[in-house]
Amino acid sequence: MYKIVSTVLFKFLVKMRKNLVVFGNLNIPKHNRYVVTCTHESYNEIIMLAMALHPNQIHFMAKKELFENKWVDKFFRNLNAFPVNRENPGPSTLKIPVKHLNQDRTVGMFPSGHRTKEEVPLKRGAATIAMLGKAQILPAAYVGPNTIKGLITDKSYISFGEPIDTTNLPKDLKRAEKIDYIMKQVESETRRLQRELNERLA
């Protein structure tokens, strides 16, 4: 279902409407085994991030509350989303995304943890998962409409930064320190991308 929906949206929003502009295309890994992170102001980032990486499929982490209805649960799972208990994370919080990485799939995460326009400290999940899966992190920033109607009428912009290595880390760091080390890089690069994107479009 993901392939069908993404292809239809890609042809309509990107090819026909030309409503997506992507910067930093050369930073996108040639393989599919990485974690992509992005700023998160609305649900539109999910759609446009998928369009920016099309035809590669992203497996998104999503809060478990979205899966409580069995029909909605089936819909989201068919779109490659999987539930996460953000209030009480268990072993599956790490096990599922790491398994996707080990199967050469891309995992999509929004480290801010919720939709916001404010600069907030990024959570550690992306770094932890990428480090356990020995995968790169591809940071991204989004500027664009925050309504579904806006996706059709206005342009969206995504900027990708350079992938962040999670394997070649200072040897003297403990596990928690390595995660913090990675997240500082993700946070710094994400803010830079957002700032430059805002300046470019000003």
Side-chain angles (χ1 to χ4, degrees):
M1 183 177 178
Y2 181 106
K3 184 176 181 180
I4 295 173
V5 172
S6 63
T7 299
V8 171
L9 288 175
F10 183 80
K11 288 181 178 178
F12 178 69
L13 294 175
V14 181
K15 292 297 186 180
M16 292 177 61
R17 301 289 300 182
K18 300 187 184 301
N19 277 6
L20 175 63
V21 179
V22 180
F23 302 106
N25 307 64
L26 296 179
N27 290 325
I28 300 173
K30 302 301 181 184
H31 54 82
N32 295 336
R33 192 173 181 273
Y34 59 90
V35 174
V36 59
T37 62
C38 189
T39 52
H40 195 27
E41 295 179 13
S42 71
Y43 289 114
N44 287 3
E45 291 91 328
I46 299 173
I47 297 172
M48 300 316 272
L49 197 59
M51 297 302 95
L53 295 176
H54 183 82
N56 181 23
Q57 297 188 26
I58 307 175
H59 296 259
F60 284 106
M61 296 183 71
K63 60 183 181 181
K64 70 179 182 65
E65 290 80 5
L66 295 175
F67 297 77
E68 290 177 350
N69 179 285
K70 68 175 183 178
W71 299 110
V72 176
D73 177 279
K74 185 176 181 180
F75 174 76
F76 277 121
R77 290 181 188 276
N78 283 333
L79 291 178
N80 291 351
F82 56 95
V84 172
N85 186 339
R86 297 191 305 192
E87 301 302 321
N88 185 29
S92 63
T93 303
L94 300 177
K95 184 177 180 180
I96 294 174
V98 170
K99 181 179 179 181
H100 282 306
L101 291 174
N102 290 336
Q103 294 175 342
D104 296 320
R105 297 170 178 166
T106 300
V107 173
M109 299 183 64
F110 299 96
S112 62
H114 58 282
R115 292 172 289 154
T116 177
K117 291 187 177 181
E118 303 296 327
E119 282 195 355
V120 296
L122 302 184
K123 295 187 177 181
R124 298 154 54 92
T128 305
I129 289 165
M131 191 173 74
L132 289 174
K134 296 181 174 57
Q136 294 175 310
I137 296 177
L138 176 66
Y142 169 89
V143 171
N146 55 20
T147 65
I148 295 299
K149 180 180 178 181
L151 290 182
I152 301 174
T153 59
D154 304 316
K155 283 189 181 296
S156 297
Y157 302 84
I158 285 182
S159 181
F160 291 111
E162 292 189 10
I164 295 169
D165 184 20
T166 65
T167 58
N168 187 23
L169 303 174
K171 303 295 184 183
D172 58 333
L173 296 182
K174 297 179 181 178
R175 183 176 182 273
E177 293 172 331
K178 289 180 179 179
I179 293 171
D180 287 337
Y181 181 87
I182 295 168
M183 283 313 300
K184 286 180 181 178
Q185 294 182 70
V186 175
E187 187 166 344
S188 175
E189 182 66 359
T190 301
R191 289 181 173 175
R192 182 188 70 81
L193 290 170
Q194 190 75 71
R195 182 177 64 252
E196 291 183 355
L197 197 52
N198 288 333
E199 291 173 353
R200 189 193 292 259
L201 301 175

